[in-house]
């Protein structure tokens, strides 16, 4: 079962740095990420999601590939690729995997203008190796899907890592 972590930061730059650090830790196999999104509350109050994966672009690329292959069969590869890309982009835009976009937008309404939050859906992790590397960025733990006891243990570990 995956666990959700939401951490608020005072600015977008810090949230992006933590996301990059988490992706790096994932490459080192210290954490297995299911989804990771930076949500920004702009100065005008609007919420902007910075998704790590663009389903629209992925769908368009896959659709163009398959459309081109099918187009080759009917001697119209360019038309097939164009139709496939359009269909793939439409399908990709309608796909929402990982953390629910509406949930992220609703929770981010509580952010101060100019602030950002990092939403991370973690399949598994090595907390003793991940927490010290993330704690140095600061931030405020807003929400988790952990039990109250596990969440308090995490808060204590973050506090200890920040003070060392």
């Amino acid at each position: 079962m995956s666990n959700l972590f939401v951490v608020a930061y005072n600015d977008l730059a810090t949230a992006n740095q933590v996301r990059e650090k988490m992706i790096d830790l994932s490459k080192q196999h210290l954490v297995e990420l299911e989804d990771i999104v930076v949500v920004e509350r702009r100065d005008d109050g609007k919420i902007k999601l910075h998704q790590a994966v663009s389903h629209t672009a992925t769908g368009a690329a896959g659709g163009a590939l398959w459309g081109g292959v099918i187009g080759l069969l009917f001697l119209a590869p360019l038309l097939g690729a164009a139709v496939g890309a359009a269909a793939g982009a439409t399908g990709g835009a309608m796909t929402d995997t990982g953390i629910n976009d509406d949930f992220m937008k609703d929770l981010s309404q509580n952010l101060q203008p100019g602030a950002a939050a990092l939403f991370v859906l973690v399949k598994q992790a090595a907390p003793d190796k991940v927490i010290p590397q993330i704690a140095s960025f600061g931030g405020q733990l807003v929400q988790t899907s952990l039990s109250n006891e596990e969440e308090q243990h995490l808060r204590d570990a973050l506090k200890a890592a920040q003070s060392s």
Side-chain angles (χ1 to χ4, degrees):
M1 181 175 136
S2 298
N3 285 306
L4 174 69
F5 300 91
V6 181
V7 182
Y9 296 96
N10 292 331
D11 57 75
L12 178 62
T14 304
N16 281 327
Q17 287 176 332
V18 177
R19 177 173 61 181
E20 292 305 314
K21 184 65 172 176
M22 289 295 292
I23 291 170
D24 184 52
L25 293 171
S26 176
K27 290 176 185 174
Q28 296 175 37
H29 303 287
L30 296 176
V31 63
E32 187 177 347
L33 301 173
E34 192 170 326
D35 197 8
I36 186 164
V37 180
V38 173
V39 181
E40 168 191 15
R41 180 147 190 216
R42 294 186 170 167
D43 291 330
D44 63 5
K46 291 184 181 179
I47 303 295
K48 170 122 174 89
L49 303 180
H50 300 272
Q51 303 274 3
V53 175
S54 171
H55 295 293
T56 303
T58 304
L65 176 69
W66 284 108
V69 170
I70 293 169
L72 281 173
L73 295 174
F74 296 104
L75 301 175
L78 293 177
L79 178 61
V83 171
T90 301
M94 290 191 232
T95 302
D96 186 17
T97 58
I99 307 167
N100 182 282
D101 290 357
D102 291 332
F103 168 74
M104 289 187 286
K105 289 177 182 177
D106 288 344
L107 191 59
S108 297
Q109 291 296 328
N110 297 323
L111 292 172
Q112 295 294 322
L118 182 66
F119 288 72
V120 185
L121 195 55
V122 176
K123 284 187 179 181
Q124 60 184 13
D128 58 325
K129 295 182 179 179
V130 173
I131 291 172
Q133 295 191 48
I134 299 303
S136 63
F137 291 95
Q140 178 186 356
L141 188 62
V142 175
Q143 184 168 337
T144 74
S145 61
L146 300 173
S147 68
N148 289 338
E149 183 179 309
E150 291 172 321
E151 185 172 323
Q152 187 57 48
H153 178 70
L154 175 62
R155 288 181 191 277
D156 293 343
L158 285 169
K159 185 180 269 188
Q162 285 177 343
S163 62
S164 59

